[in-house]
Amino acid sequence: MTAYDVERGDAIHPGKPVTVDRYTGGARINHWITATSLVLLALSGLALFHPSLFFLTGLFGGGQWTRTIHPWIGVVLFFSFTGLFIRFWRANLWKAEDGTWLARLKDVLTGHEERLPEVGKYNAGQKAVFWGMSLLILILIASGFVIWDQYFAAYSTIDQKRIAVLIHAIAAVTIICVWIVHVYAAIWVRGTISAMTRGRVTGGWAWRHHRKWLRELVGGKERRS
Amino acid sequence: MFPPLPNPTVKPTPAQFGEQDLIRRSASNVAPPARQLTPVAKLIDTSKCIGCKACQAACLEWNDLREKVGFNSGVLDNPLDLTPASLTVMRFSEWINPETQNLEWLIRKDGCMHCADPGCLKACPAPGAIVQYSNGIVDFDHDRCIGCGYCIKGCPFNIPRISQVDHKAYKCTLCSDRVAVGQGPACAKACPTQAIVFGTKEEMKQHAEGRIKDLKSRGFKNAGLYDPPGVGGTHVMYVLHHADKPEIYANLARDPRISPIVELWKGVTKYAGLAAMGGFAAFGFLHYLISGPNKVSEEDEKKAEQLTGSDVS
Ligand code: HEM
Ligand code: SF4
Ligand code: SF4
């Protein structure tokens, strides 16, 4: 049996309860840098998105600072997310059971987990968030550069900038919605947040939500395929 | 001839309009003003312009702006484009009239048109950075400008320019400070041929009519007034000898209007966007209320212990 989607650092510690290492220190630091930049980008971007949210510029030292700093945080986000992408992409490849899982989204939301197929390190919802974020960040950085007038005004026409700012605004709204789903899932599914804070989850959590991953870890396939 | 503006008194005069006369304010709602000011306009007669650039010099002078010493690009346009300091530039076009085979030298004074429906103001995200008075003047308030450049995307005439020094947007103010104390714009004052005149919009339209009649009598059968309805009309208008072909005047827009992309961005995107984000958050909230947290059970932990052999130790 080849490793399914166990990542480096994933390990089981038998005991009562069983604990499972899910994220290395590096992955967690990488995640929180990404998360912080995403939240700061959402706040600084929304400040310009709608007049009722302009007050958010106060968090960044006023309008001029908000306008100046937003694209730079975007650059941090881009590199930081690239790190996460390199770490996580393999385990997020789409598998046969993901389609079934997604088709039974109703059972997911109504808490009938017994009706769902066993899934690996990530379920289809998490994979959708991962690929959605990846695509949207690419769109945001590309459109963001086109409207970054302080340095790049000369490289596009006004018509291109109009399209870019529209795309940027739509992509930003979409990524914020994806982010809401991501954060809500982490809160709703108890025991998840410790994966990103302390790096580990309980065996019961892994059994309940990512059984295939747990089985594989038990099978000792603790290496990269 | 339109009577030249009288020389003003040198005694300090209180401003005749201000905050209380705003009909639009960027990223804000304003209460309709108590009074309606008489709409004003500047009329630029391209057939009278001799390209002397006195208006350009007067604009720099009055607004206390200095253009960097540039270089000669081989054409009369100088500087080549509007800048944060040059709020107006003369654009020179050489055009061969296909009917007469005459070379016509078309000179257009470019600058803010003071649109009745200003795209710059619509796009601006900073409350009060762009304002419109009921006399038609569209003005930028630099203390509130954040330098985002959205006004550039909103403007159908490619007018605002952002300074790389203070990162704020600049454009012609129609000399709102002068108009407020009963004077005309500095450029109109300086123009030696009265190619630039200033007055109420009605007066300017009437004056233009006379000019157009005169031009027609001299063979310019397509002479006309440029007051484009797509932006609700403008408070800077042109008399063109070839009003049927505005684009020959250094690409003057034929039918300017706020770009539909800008309308989409500043319209439905905002409402749909706020609704979508609110919708997702509300769904999460309701879902949690209804179904409660998804907790790991004792049994799940036991199963994991069995699977890992922890239960037999
Ligand atoms: C990835 C790199 C990014 C770059 C280079 C970038 C750049 C920009 C720029 C240049 C602007 C115009 C205002 C300004 O100059 O500050 C802007 C606006 C905005 N950005 Fe970004 N951005 C990025 C990522 C993001 C992300 C991740 C979000 C959302 C979480 C976001 C949300 C917004 C919003 C909502 C606006 C306002 C759009 C509007 O006014 O309709 N941006 N961005
Ligand atoms: S650059 Fe200034 S005036 Fe132009 S849209 Fe931005 S805040 Fe408004
Ligand atoms: S010409 Fe451009 S800058 Fe001037 S009022 Fe119209 S939209 Fe605004």
Side-chain angles (χ1 to χ4, degrees):
Chain A
M1 185 176 127
T2 56
Y4 182 76
D5 56 15
V6 165
E7 289 177 321
R8 191 164 52 86
D10 294 356
I12 291 188
H13 303 283
K16 290 193 181 195
V18 179
T19 57
V20 189
D21 292 344
R22 191 163 161 91
Y23 291 113
T24 61
R28 280 176 280 152
I29 292 170
N30 196 168
H31 172 268
W32 288 113
I33 293 175
T34 310
T36 311
S37 14
L38 187 73
V39 170
L40 292 176
L41 280 162
L43 292 172
S44 54
L46 286 175
L48 306 192
F49 180 72
H50 196 270
S52 64
L53 301 170
F54 190 78
F55 72 92
L56 291 170
T57 53
L59 296 173
F60 301 89
Q64 281 275 350
W65 274 109
T66 307
R67 185 267 307 155
T68 307
I69 211 167
H70 173 95
W72 285 109
I73 307 174
V75 172
V76 173
L77 174 84
F78 180 76
F79 284 109
S80 174
F81 188 83
T82 304
L84 287 185
F85 187 87
I86 293 167
R87 288 172 201 277
F88 299 157
W89 71 272
R90 194 176 280 277
N92 277 285
L93 291 175
W94 204 255
K95 295 283 161 60
E97 66 271 20
D98 290 326
T100 320
W101 191 95
L102 212 55
R104 299 191 191 151
L105 196 61
K106 198 164 155 250
D107 292 325
V108 177
L109 290 172
T110 50
H112 290 294
E113 258 165 290
E114 69 285 356
R115 293 186 201 155
L116 300 172
E118 292 187 7
V119 296
K121 184 157 182 177
Y122 298 108
N123 63 39
Q126 292 166 306
K127 289 180 183 178
V129 166
F130 176 83
W131 291 109
M133 291 267 185
S134 307
L135 180 70
L136 287 163
I137 285 172
L138 278 181
I139 295 174
L140 284 163
I141 188 128
S143 57
F145 271 97
V146 179
I147 55 173
W148 196 350
D149 279 4
Q150 186 167 350
Y151 307 109
F152 306 105
Y155 299 101
S156 57
T157 65
I158 290 178
D159 258 320
Q160 289 164 344
K161 288 185 222 289
R162 286 177 182 144
I163 296 168
V165 74
L166 175 65
I167 292 176
H168 196 81
I170 295 172
V173 166
T174 315
I175 204 168
I176 291 170
C177 291
V178 172
W179 176 82
I180 293 173
V181 170
H182 175 70
V183 172
Y184 177 67
I187 296 171
W188 176 52
V189 180
R190 285 298 152 85
T192 306
I193 292 174
S194 72
M196 262 312 162
T197 52
R198 278 162 298 158
R200 47 179 193 269
V201 290
T202 67
W205 184 91
W207 169 267
R208 186 178 174 92
H209 304 297
H210 299 279
R211 202 168 297 166
K212 213 164 173 172
W213 176 62
L214 183 69
R215 287 194 200 284
E216 198 184 340
L217 278 170
V218 172
K221 297 290 180 289
E222 205 183 309
R223 55 176 161 73
R224 281 151 82 81
S225 57
Chain B
M1 188 177 119
F2 193 75
L5 291 157
N7 278 329
T9 158
V10 289
K11 282 207 294 282
T13 338
Q16 288 160 16
F17 65 88
E19 282 286 303
Q20 70 280 9
D21 295 301
L22 295 185
I23 49 170
R24 284 199 183 96
R25 189 176 185 272
S26 55
S28 350
N29 297 313
V30 287
R35 57 170 183 179
Q36 164 70 47
L37 301 168
T38 316
V40 295
K42 180 161 84 182
L43 183 71
I44 301 170
D45 186 343
T46 54
S47 71
K48 273 183 156 187
C49 175
I50 55 169
C52 69
K53 299 180 184 166
C55 52
Q56 262 183 247
C59 181
L60 290 166
E61 185 62 26
W62 174 258
N63 292 300
D64 199 16
L65 296 166
R66 297 290 174 273
E67 191 60 69
K68 276 201 305 281
V69 175
F71 57 90
N72 188 319
S73 326
V75 291
L76 274 160
D77 306 46
N78 185 13
L80 272 182
D81 194 9
L82 297 167
T83 71
S86 289
L87 312 181
T88 184
V89 292
M90 312 309 296
R91 298 195 184 272
F92 297 78
S93 314
E94 290 171 8
W95 182 67
I96 296 172
N97 188 330
E99 283 169 32
T100 59
Q101 291 304 312
N102 277 347
L103 176 81
E104 291 186 22
W105 205 23
L106 309 173
I107 310 167
R108 175 167 70 88
K109 177 187 186 295
D110 196 9
C112 174
M113 300 295 286
H114 295 270
C115 311
D117 185 11
C120 56
L121 191 150
K122 175 158 226 164
C124 178
I130 306 183
V131 295
Q132 185 181 35
Y133 298 97
S134 66
N135 61 9
I137 295 181
V138 178
D139 213 352
F140 284 14
D141 180 346
H142 298 114
D143 289 344
R144 300 179 200 271
C145 171
I146 67 169
C148 62
Y150 286 7
C151 47
I152 298 173
K153 298 161 188 70
C155 174
F157 292 98
N158 182 13
I159 299 299
R161 295 289 181 271
I162 308 259
S163 159
Q164 284 293 353
V165 178
D166 66 3
H167 305 291
K168 290 173 184 213
Y170 290 89
K171 72 160 190 73
C172 155
T173 64
L174 206 65
C175 282
S176 53
D177 49 350
R178 293 171 60 93
V179 174
V181 293
Q183 303 190 37
C187 56
K189 187 85 189 162
C191 179
T193 65
Q194 283 218 314
I196 311 172
V197 286
F198 178 82
T200 69
K201 182 150 180 175
E202 257 336 289
E203 281 168 351
M204 291 301 104
K205 279 182 164 170
Q206 269 169 28
H207 179 60
E209 241 168 64
R211 288 294 309 136
I212 290 160
K213 216 193 239 158
D214 177 57
L215 283 168
K216 284 193 168 154
S217 76
R218 295 202 259 149
F220 291 101
K221 58 180 191 299
N222 294 315
L225 179 68
Y226 185 83
D227 180 20
V231 290
T234 52
H235 292 266
V236 170
M237 304 183 291
Y238 292 113
V239 169
L240 304 176
H241 1 33
H242 305 288
D244 56 327
K245 293 188 266 302
E247 48 298 325
I248 63 175
Y249 297 85
N251 289 320
L252 180 60
R254 173 173 286 272
D255 184 18
R257 60 195 198 98
I258 299 179
S259 157
I261 301 167
V262 172
E263 301 273 12
L264 192 63
W265 164 44
K266 284 284 154 176
V268 65
T269 308
K270 305 279 135 159
Y271 303 108
L274 291 179
M277 292 183 285
F280 270 84
F283 178 82
F285 189 71
L286 287 177
H287 181 256
Y288 199 83
L289 278 188
I290 293 164
S291 66
N294 179 339
K295 284 196 182 123
V296 176
S297 65
E298 269 309 304
E299 200 185 286
D300 292 326
E301 297 293 0
K302 286 234 171 58
K303 291 275 195 198
E305 283 158 25
Q306 281 164 16
L307 187 71
T308 55
S310 304
D311 55 334
V312 292
S313 54

